Structures are given as C-alpha cells and as structure tokens.
Amino acid sequence: MAVTEIAPLTAPPDLTGEHRPVIVVGGGQAGLSMSRCLKKRGVDHLVLERDTAGHTWRNERWDTFCLVTPNWQCRLPDFPYSGNDPHGFMVRDQIVEYLDAYRRFVDPPLVEGVEVTNLTRDDRGVFRLVTTAGECTADQVVVATGGYHTPITAPLSEPLPGGVVQVQSKDYKSGAHLPPGEVLVVGSGQSGAQIAEDLHIEGRRVHLVVGNAPRVARFYRGRDVTDWLDEMGYYDMPVTAHPRREAVRAQANHYVTGRDGGRDIDLRAHAAAGMRLYGVLTDHREGTLHFEPNLTASLDHADEVSESIKDTIDKHIRERGVDAPVEDRYRAVWRPEQEITRLRLADTGITSVVWCIGFRQDYRWIDIPVFNGRGAPSHARGVTAVPGLSFLGLPWLWTWGSGRFSGVGRDAEYLAERIRSQRGLTTVGGRGDVCNVLALGS
Ligand SMILES: Cc1cc2nc3c(=O)[nH]c(=O)nc-3n(C[C@H](O)[C@H](O)[C@H](O)COP(=O)(O)OP(=O)(O)OC[C@H]3O[C@@H](n4cnc5c(N)ncnc54)[C@H](O)[C@@H]3O)c2cc1C
C-alpha cells in the first residue's frame, strides 16, 4: 500500500483572538499523546500542526523504512499496539496507519496547516502565539515539535561538485530517486547505517563514512536485546539516574535494524561484500575528500559497546538464574587493511551523497529565555523554569523512550496531570468530550 497524503480538508480557520487554556504545538505522536492526556482530564486545549498530523512518519522516512524498536513498544496513551506481531517491526505504511488510527481514537481539537512562527509571554504571564492563521493566546503551551529539526551537513572548505546530487536522510526514499552511480553516505548512526544498507542491498556501490555511533545486537541468548533491557529496567531509568546524566541526550543512537524480522547491521560484513568504509569526513578540497584515520577505532568502539551490552545481559541472566541458551560472542569478519584518508572524487563513480550526520534543534521561533548555550531547552522532565511552558517528545526528556513511541505517553500523562492540578480541575476522565465542542478544523 502506498503512503497516502492526508491534506487538510479545509483552509485553516482564522485563529485571531482565540484563547485556550492550553495550546500544544505539533501534531506528531507527542502532540496527539498530549491531546489524549489533556482530553481525558477535561482540559480545554488546541493542537496546532503546520503540516498534517503524523507528517514526519508519512513524509520523512524512506521506502523500506521499518521500526528499529519492536511493535510492543508502541504504547501511545490508551492505545497500545494491538496487532498480531508484537515482536515484529512495523514498516512505514503500518506506522502511518497506527498513527492515523490513534488520531481517530483521540479525535483531538487539531488545526492542521498552521505554523506557529513566534511564541512570547507577556507581563501577565499570557502566551502569545503568532501563527500563519493569526495571533492567538494561551495560559500554557506544550511544545511538541519533535527532536529533529534542521539537518546538519559537514562544513567543507569547498562545496562538492555541482553534478553530485546531495540529499538529507529525511528526504531519502530509495536508490531509484538518486542518479545512477555510486553513493556516498555520510554518517553511520541509525539512519546512515540503514540507508547505506538499503542502497547496498539494492546493488549500489556504497561509500560509507563511519562515525562514532555505537551498535547493538538485535538478538542475544534467545531474545531481542530490547526485551532483555526492558526486563532489566533500562527503559524506566530516568535521565537523572543515567551514568551520563543529561549528556546522554546528545548521544547517537545505536545502529541495528528491524528489517527482515530484525537483525544486526554488521558494517564489517558489508565491507567484506564490497561496501567501502572510511573514517570521519573532515574536508573536501580540490576534488578530494579527506577523512580522519579513525575507521578501525570506530568499528572497534561500535563492537565494544554491543559486547558490553551482552555482558550486562549475561550478568542479569546469571544473577536471576534465567534459563537462556548460551550464545557465542561476535567475531569480527573484516578489518580495514589501512586507513584511507583521501579519496579523489574523479577516481570514483560517486554521483550522489546522502547526509546522515544528525539534526540541530531549531527553536528560533520561541522568544522566551529557556534555552541553554547549545540552543536546547533547559527543563526537568519537560517542565521549564517559565511557568506554563513545557516540552514533550525530546530524546531522553525523562527516559530512553521519551523521544520514541515507548516513553512519550508516560511523559504526556505527567505533564497533563501537572496542568490539570494547576488549573484546579479535579475530575480525571469522564469529561473527554469537552474539547470537541471547541474543536476547530479537526
Ligand atoms: C529516522 C528516524 C527513525 C526513528 N525510528 C524510531 C523507532 O524505530 N522507534 C521509535 O519509537 N522512534 C523512532 N524514532 C523517533 C521518534 O519516534 C520520531 O522522531 C517521532 O517522529 C517523534 O514524534 P514527535 O511527535 O515527538 O515529533 P515529530 O514526529 O517530529 O512531530 C512534530 C510535529 O510538529 C510539527 N511542527 C514543528 N514545528 C512546528 C511549528 N512551529 N508550528 C506547528 N507545527 C510544528 C511538525 O510538522 C511535526 O508534524 C525515529 C526517528 C527518526 C528521525
């Protein structure tokens, strides 16, 4: 089934002069979860989405995309995955269907096609939202605009030749959308590793710039590693208890895949089968790409992290006396013979580059001093020091799953409960319809 475009049915209403107790900015899984949690507490609110609900899953994933996390971890508030493959990995169109079904279930007071372009708070503590459909106000605002805003590209001395097509991971669909020829994939985090593999499986010659992202095995000792980590309580650990504390928020995700029922991504095996691997890309000058001589170290590091996770699982099995089959450890199937630090583009058939080196958060539209020196919001479990302003859906906002399907619901319940008690509402549940009386464009 092809992914369908859900366009707003009507032009957005004029929001000029509208006031709501709560306005949620963003209609992805976080915004919809927030709406559900506010609605069941009888808190009147509005959700503003600049595109369509679930837009990023619909439009910013590649054709063969599937979840890296198992389906059972899809547990949006009051709407857990209910299909017959809890240990499988939904493909893109199934994820979109899950979100569309959630939207129907929540029936949020949602206005699509409206972007919030400026957010301020006046002297009386009222939030002013300048939107593409007029200026409105709110007593409280929940920012649920995702954690991946502006794609990053490496700063190079000279631009790549004009003939080389460059795309960002969020715009990559498949090799069919790239010109014939070899492809340079820059970055080996979750997206880069999967996109490189996608092209490699398609038969393209792939050059992959490997960064310091860790990897994790898909299965170990008879179970998905996710299941073991869940049993060990890892997904309940708050950021305040993590050994790296808030620094973990900037950590690259471990690469692994849900493709073909789930398996490891072994870059060494891909290299043995013809994929070209390099260390970190540092520059492009006079037609030559320059790389750091750190490929060996990066591959070793990724394996070490994966093996250390297995050590932790072994310890858990031992201490709990769990009956689990013994499994041999990973053996490297390929090692770089030498570090390649230069590559003349003219000596390759590279015709396109896919950038997968991450995203920068972009909150320039918020004129309220709640950001740290790196432009990220300062908060405790999403609650900022500015009364009434919260964030939801960010990686490690509270737990590992906060920026994912598994943990966003727990955070939404927390924020909604705070908002309910601040507003002096006592009824939890039972008044869920109150918002729809006020629904605009949903
Ligand atoms: C490549 C990739 C793979 C992932 N794989 C998994 C996985 O396997 N499992 C998992 O659980 N999670 C995964 N995630 C993480 C997470 O689930 C997604 O990022 C998810 O989209 C986050 O949902 P969200 O609602 O927080 O943000 P988003 O989906 O980004 O939604 C934010 C919404 O806000 C809107 N918006 C932004 N700014 C404004 C504005 N100023 N005004 C109005 N609207 C605005 C946007 O249009 C968007 O629709 C993955 C993420 C990526 C990028």
Side-chain angles (χ1 to χ4, degrees), residues 313-334:
I313 295 170
D314 282 345
K315 184 165 175 277
H316 169 79
I317 289 172
R318 227 176 17 252
E319 287 176 357
R320 296 287 176 90
V322 182
D323 184 18
V326 177
E327 183 175 328
D328 287 344
R329 287 305 189 92
Y330 175 75
R331 287 229 179 100
V333 294
W334 179 91

Side-chain angles (χ1 to χ4, degrees), residues 26 28-30 49-50 56-57 68-69 116 145-146 191 403-405:
Q29 68 212 31
E49 163 56 50
R50 72 174 166 207
T56 54
W57 288 110
V68 163
T69 51
V116 180
T145 54
S191 293
R404 297 173 176 242
F405 278 117

Side-chain angles (χ1 to χ4, degrees), residues 62 64-70 87-89 190 193-195 197-198 201 215-219 224 226 254-266 270:
W62 53 94
T64 61
F65 181 91
C66 58
L67 287 176
V68 163
T69 51
H87 295 283
F89 307 89
Q190 244 177 38
Q194 291 179 83
I195 288 172
E197 188 183 81
D198 189 48
I201 291 170
R215 77 178 184 92
V216 63
R218 179 80 268 170
F219 301 104
D224 191 310
T226 314
H254 300 67
Y255 61 87
V256 62
T257 184
R259 200 162 166 166
D260 305 330
R263 53 179 166 70
D264 292 6
I265 294 183
D266 185 351
H270 288 325

Side-chain angles (χ1 to χ4, degrees), residues 59 63 98 107 232 325 332 341 364-365 367 373 437 440:
N59 301 315
D63 292 348
Y98 172 65
D107 192 14
M232 291 188 288
T341 54
R364 283 174 297 176
W365 55 279
D367 274 338
V437 177
L440 288 160

Side-chain angles (χ1 to χ4, degrees), residues 127-150:
F127 290 94
R128 301 198 165 276
L129 296 94
V130 178
T131 80
T132 48
E135 194 172 319
C136 53
T137 53
D139 300 329
Q140 307 213 17
V141 171
V142 180
V143 178
T145 54
Y148 307 100
H149 300 152
T150 310

Side-chain angles (χ1 to χ4, degrees), residues 25-32 48-57 60-62 65-69 73-74 95 114-117 144-149 169 190-191 194 253 359 365 392-394 400-406 408:
V25 186
Q29 68 212 31
L32 295 178
L48 302 181
E49 163 56 50
R50 72 174 166 207
D51 202 284
T52 51
H55 150 74
T56 54
W57 288 110
E60 296 188 356
R61 305 289 184 261
W62 53 94
F65 181 91
C66 58
L67 287 176
V68 163
T69 51
Q73 283 202 328
C74 290
I95 306 164
V114 172
E115 179 171 7
V116 180
T117 56
T145 54
Y148 307 100
H149 300 152
S169 59
Q190 244 177 38
S191 293
Q194 291 179 83
N253 288 315
F359 294 81
W365 55 279
L392 179 67
L394 298 177
W400 175 88
S402 287
R404 297 173 176 242
F405 278 117
S406 63
V408 66

